[in-house]
Structure formats: structure tokens, C-alpha cells
Amino acid sequence: MKILEIKDLCKSFGKTDVLKGVSFSMEQGEVLSILGSSGSGKTTLLRCINFLEKADKGEILVEGETIFSGENSDKISASEIRKAQLNFGMVFQSFNLFPQYSALENVTLAPLLHAKKSPDYKQNKKKIKEEIIAEGKEILARVGLLDKLNNYPCELSGGQQQRVSIARALALKPKILFFDEPTSALDPELTGEILKVIKDLAKQNITMVIVTHEIGFAKNVSDKIIFMDNGVIAEEGTPQEVIDNPKNERTKAFLNLVTQKE
Amino acid sequence: MSIFITVTLSLLEGLLTTFKIFGLTLLMALPLGLIISFGSMSRFAVVKWPIKTLIWIIRGTPLMLQLIVFGFGPGLIGINGMDTFVAVMIAFVLNYACYFSEIFRGGIESIPKGQYEAGAVLGLTKTQVFFKIILKQVIKRIVPPMSNEFLTLVKDTSLANTIMIYEITWNAKRFMNSEHILWPLFYSGVFYLAFCGVLTLIFGYIEKKLDYYKG
Ligand SMILES: Nc1ncnc2c1ncn2[C@@H]1O[C@H](COP(=O)(O)OP(=O)(O)O)[C@@H](O)[C@H]1O
Ligand SMILES: [Mg+2]
């Protein structure tokens, strides 16, 4: 069964049509990279899937179950949206860490709040909290930040902050992890550490969607590549197909432009 | 010497009333201000514009005038027996809630959208996002303007004497009439200064406490 299916997603802001019918699907454990020039709708696509924007039309299915449908999108309640959002994790270009919390607190905040809803929370409060904190430490260790648990975001480098934000998303064990240009806000010498973390996650069979301009990285880590242009998918396929032998003129032009810069 | 003691005791007695106005105003105006600030940011025009108008009226007229309106207004339209102190409290709470609401609004609107979005994708409710993520950042940003408002409130309490509340300035002025001496009024300044000094220290401490992070 497909872990994610996107069907004919459309979104406009006022008169600008930003997504003009985007469809794709993913298997469990797959890594999908989305390429495309600035303004082609990549961020909007991720935001619609993560319920940060409401798509005008189309459907989103997770493991065969419809979690969003443009037909009755007005009827979906806030709590249904929150439940659907928990299928996904999101890593933002600008990190969006909570500045008043330490690295560990950033990671454990949401799991601790969600734990309050579990029926045995009152009896096992202490044990549940300890487990979540231990797990938070373990996740931060996985992204190489065991020595920064108690540091605040302002005390961390950009690369470290982005690793905390990846850990924060992982802590809720999402079925699919989305990255929106995770290295674009970083100095070139710091992008490597983030790409390494993402590569490690790919090895652990975590399903991921990565919007990136790092062509070499995308080719290396992805099972599938989508090239977006002007609100539609212009080309999709394996890295060999899309990056090495692009058929679409826009894809070719884009790849030429990006590889020239590199 | 004995007149000095008499004056001191009288001023201390007035100071209690000053404290009472100050404390009760904060106790009620802070939460009311937060509610008013939400109203002024509401998506619904029927909520937003009446609230904006109220803020405009309250901030656009002197507090002294508002005290007179609430102190003597009810009697003019035939409602008698309203306690003067209650009138004072209504005027102070409403006035300060409106000023606080604008400070809250500025603080809340200065928090980047990304903070709300990061909370949302973690599946948190709007209430959780506000109280667990946004509020503390807002508090850090509004401490300096708040400390200004608190100091202004200390001194504004003296306006209550215009509708016959026996706070410290009233008690000081009393000696001007009865004993024909002016110095108790100057002396009352010492009490305001000391009160404001303590508040300044407290706010300095809070600012330091919140200084452990940037952003
Ligand atoms: N909230 C918004 N309001 C209006 N237009 C928007 C909004 N968000 C994005 N857009 C527009 O949608 C288009 C696609 O933007 P975006 O999805 O950010 O592209 P990309 O991430 O591929 O650079 C752009 O033209 C942008 O100006
Ligand atoms: Mg983008």
C-alpha cells in the first residue's frame, strides 16, 4: 500500500494559481526529492500537505485513508487536522526552534504535551516523563548533539539548530518527514552536516520528502525525483532519469543553471 | 517632631490606599488587557472595531476625566449610592487594561509566524501553542514597556484624590488646609520614589531572569 498519495492538489492565492493539479505517490521507506526553480510552488505543496495552508482542491491519502479532501475541507475540525498533522513531521528552512527552550526541551515539548492525553498519564506521570526525556536524549544523540542537550538555540550554530529541529520532528515518530530547503539558510560549510543526518535517516528507512537545490545530494539520497515547474510536476522519475537524462526542456534549463552555479 | 510623626502616620495610612488601588488595578487590568488585545486582533469586524473604538476613547481622554465620569456620572443619571472606590477601580482598570492591551498586541504581533507553524505541525492545539510557546516570548519582549506602565500607575494613583479617595496625596494635601504647611506634599514624593525604586529593582530582576536566551 502507498504510504502517501497526493491527488490533483490545487491551490491559489487570490488570482495566482500556485499549484495547478499536483499528483504523486510514495512507498514506505522511499526518499523523494523535489527540485524546481524558486516560485514554482514547492513550499506551497509542502505547506498544503502539512495543513499550514488549505488546498482548494484535491486529496491527500495516508496509507489509503483520506486525511484531506478539497470537497469537504470546510467540515474538517481542528482536532481532525491535528490528528492528520501527526502523520507528518516538518523541518523548516528557518528552523523555527522555540528560543526559550533548550535543545532537549524543544524536542520533548510536544511529546510531553501529547502524553497528557493518554489514559494512564495520571498514574504513571513520572515514568512517562522520564521515558520521553530519555527518548529525546537518544534522538539528539542520533543527530550528534548529545553534548548540546541543555544549550539554547541562540547558543548553537545554524547547522546544530537545524539538527535540533530534525530531532524535534523525529520525536513524534511521523510516518513521513518533510524538509523544505533544510540547508538554504546555512553557510555552505554547514550544509554537509545536515545532509549527512538526512542520509543517515534514509538508511534507517525513514520515508522523506526533501525540497532542495542540492542536486548532487538529491541524486545520491533519493529513490525518486520530482521536478516542479510553475505549479505542476514537469518531470518525475528516478535520479538517473530526471537528473542524468532529463527530457523536459525546463528541467534541462534548470539543471544547467544550477550545475553552473556549483 | 510630633507633627512630623502625625504627618508620617497619615501618609502611611494613605499609602495603604495607594497600594490597594495599584494592586487591584494590576490584578484586574492585566487579564482584562489580554482579553482586550485578543479582541483588537479579532478576525471579526463586529468584535474588532468596537474594541478598537474603546481603546481609542480611553487612550484619547485624560484619566482624570475618566475618574470624574465614573465618580460623578452615575449620580447625574440618577444612579445613586455607587461606592466612590468602586468608581475609581472601574476607571483605573479600564484605563490600564486598554494601555496593557496595546502592549500585549505589539508583543504578540512581533512573534514570527514560524513559531505558530512549528507548534501546529507538532499537532499542538492553539491554546497549547499560545501558552507553551508564544506567551513566554511575549513576556520577555514586553517587560520594558510594562515596567514603564507600572511606574506610571504608581503615580497615577494620586489622581484618585480628585474624587475624594483618601490616598497618600489626599492625606498630604489635607495638612495644607488644616495646618497651612506645604512640606507634607513634598514629603509624599519620598513615598512614591521609594515605591517606584522597589518596582524598578523587581523589573531589573525579571529582565535578568529572562536574559538566559535571545530571540
Ligand atoms: N501566502 C501567500 N500569499 C500569496 N502568494 C503566495 C503565498 N505563498 C506563496 N505565494 C506565491 O506562490 C508562488 C509559489 O511560492 P512557493 O510555494 O514559496 O515556491 P517555491 O517554494 O517553489 O519557491 C510564488 O509566486 C509566491 O509568491
Ligand atoms: Mg520555497
Side-chain angles (χ1 to χ4, degrees):
Chain A
M1 190 197 295
K2 303 277 185 201
I3 192 157
L4 178 68
E5 276 175 275
I6 304 295
K7 292 183 182 168
D8 195 32
L9 218 55
C10 295
K11 173 74 186 172
S12 36
F13 292 107
K15 285 203 178 100
T16 11
D17 296 328
V18 177
L19 298 178
K20 304 169 188 169
V22 173
S23 307
F24 67 88
S25 63
M26 292 179 76
E27 304 286 347
Q28 153 72 36
E30 233 175 17
V31 177
L32 167 72
S33 288
I34 302 180
L35 309 180
S37 52
S38 175
S40 58
K42 307 179 298 297
T43 296
T44 307
L45 174 61
L46 258 52
R47 290 174 61 82
C48 285
I49 299 173
N50 281 279
F51 294 87
L52 293 176
E53 303 283 357
K54 199 161 88 184
D56 305 324
K57 214 182 129 205
E59 274 181 83
I60 303 172
L61 288 82
V62 173
E63 294 174 330
E65 190 191 332
T66 306
I67 59 162
F68 175 86
S69 165
E71 312 260 283
N72 50 18
S73 65
D74 293 332
K75 288 188 207 123
I76 181 167
S77 71
S79 76
E80 282 171 317
I81 289 179
R82 284 197 302 277
K83 195 166 149 263
Q85 269 170 327
L86 285 175
N87 287 301
F88 309 132
M90 176 92 165
V91 174
F92 299 89
Q93 183 175 342
S94 49
F95 327 138
N96 297 344
L97 290 179
F98 309 130
Q100 74 271 39
Y101 292 127
S102 69
L104 182 60
E105 288 165 341
N106 264 278
V107 173
T108 55
L109 177 72
L112 287 171
L113 289 173
H114 289 307
K116 286 187 182 165
K117 278 180 300 198
S118 76
D120 62 338
Y121 181 74
K122 279 226 167 73
Q123 304 139 36
N124 302 330
K125 207 167 170 176
K126 210 168 154 226
K127 192 168 141 268
I128 291 174
K129 277 187 180 172
E130 279 167 3
E131 274 170 14
I132 290 172
I133 288 167
E135 210 167 309
K137 286 181 183 166
E138 194 244 318
I139 296 169
L140 279 165
R142 257 163 79 190
V143 297
L145 289 175
L146 196 53
D147 56 335
K148 301 286 182 196
L149 296 179
N150 298 318
N151 286 82
Y152 291 92
C154 62
E155 300 165 338
L156 301 173
S157 74
Q160 291 167 337
Q161 288 186 50
Q162 190 60 301
R163 283 189 274 156
V164 174
S165 97
I166 294 172
R168 179 175 69 179
L170 284 172
L172 290 174
K173 304 188 183 72
K175 292 184 181 134
I176 308 167
L177 193 50
F178 292 82
F179 295 82
D180 190 8
E181 301 197 31
T183 61
S184 291
L186 300 176
D187 294 333
E189 69 263 30
L190 296 178
T191 59
E193 64 185 70
I194 299 305
L195 300 183
K196 188 181 162 292
V197 168
I198 298 176
K199 235 179 242 174
D200 286 345
L201 295 177
K203 274 184 211 138
Q204 293 160 34
N205 242 7
I206 293 186
T207 314
M208 292 187 282
V209 177
I210 309 163
V211 172
T212 181
H213 291 300
E214 305 278 338
I215 306 293
F217 169 73
K219 190 177 154 183
N220 185 305
V221 77
S222 317
D223 301 296
K224 204 160 101 189
I225 306 262
I226 281 178
F227 176 75
M228 273 190 76
D229 184 51
N230 203 8
V232 293
I233 295 179
E235 191 160 354
E236 72 178 297
T238 63
Q240 288 71 31
E241 287 165 348
V242 179
I243 293 177
D244 296 336
N245 305 297
K247 300 208 168 49
N248 185 292
E249 289 307 318
R250 301 300 298 258
T251 320
K252 287 181 194 170
F254 173 78
L255 289 171
N256 272 333
L257 203 74
V258 178
T259 39
Q260 257 167 33
K261 263 192 232 154
E262 283 173 354
Chain B
M1 195 59 208
S2 76
I3 179 81
F4 182 75
I5 289 167
T6 315
V7 169
T8 304
L9 288 177
S10 166
L11 292 188
L12 281 174
E13 199 190 321
L15 188 64
L16 281 181
T17 305
T18 297
F19 279 153
K20 203 163 129 193
I21 300 171
F22 178 83
L24 286 175
T25 300
L26 288 183
L27 198 69
M28 293 183 272
L30 284 169
L32 183 62
L34 192 61
I35 294 168
I36 293 177
S37 80
F38 287 141
S40 72
M41 292 183 285
S42 172
R43 282 179 292 140
F44 305 107
V46 284
V47 179
K48 179 172 170 170
W49 290 108
I51 296 268
K52 288 254 185 208
T53 309
L54 174 74
I55 295 174
W56 171 61
I57 293 171
I58 295 293
R59 297 203 313 162
T61 55
L63 175 55
M64 169 102 89
L65 181 57
Q66 292 162 21
L67 281 164
I68 292 169
V69 167
F70 287 106
F72 301 121
L76 289 181
I77 56 169
I79 302 168
N80 290 308
M82 187 165 115
D83 187 44
T84 321
F85 190 76
V86 172
V88 166
M89 286 322 300
I90 293 174
F92 268 94
V93 168
L94 202 54
N95 184 280
Y96 271 81
C98 285
Y99 277 97
F100 289 156
S101 81
E102 285 295 279
I103 293 177
F104 287 139
R105 186 175 64 84
I108 292 171
E109 287 180 344
S110 75
I111 305 298
K113 210 174 75 187
Q115 293 290 308
Y116 293 91
E117 295 186 343
V121 296
L122 293 169
L124 304 183
T125 65
K126 283 210 163 76
T127 318
Q128 286 172 327
V129 170
F130 184 76
F131 285 103
K132 297 289 174 179
I133 298 170
I134 306 299
L135 188 60
K136 193 159 179 191
Q137 297 181 52
V138 171
I139 289 172
K140 181 178 164 102
R141 287 176 194 210
I142 67 175
V143 165
M146 273 297 176
S147 95
N148 266 338
E149 286 301 317
F150 278 45
L151 295 192
T152 308
L153 175 57
V154 170
K155 293 162 291 178
D156 274 354
T157 56
S158 67
L159 291 175
N161 88 80
T162 53
I163 59 169
M164 295 186 305
I165 293 297
Y166 307 145
E167 46 64 73
I168 189 165
T169 299
W170 172 281
N171 281 6
K173 270 163 79 179
R174 210 169 45 131
F175 291 99
M176 213 165 67
N177 302 327
S178 61
E179 311 285 328
H180 303 288
I181 47 174
L182 204 52
W183 63 263
L185 212 46
F186 302 144
Y187 183 30
S188 75
V190 174
F191 291 83
Y192 287 110
L193 259 183
F195 192 179
C196 286
V198 171
L199 283 178
T200 306
L201 288 177
I202 294 174
F203 270 99
Y205 174 78
I206 295 173
E207 264 185 62
K208 221 171 180 171
K209 266 280 192 194
L210 291 171
D211 215 24
Y212 71 90
Y213 78 91
K214 285 197 203 66

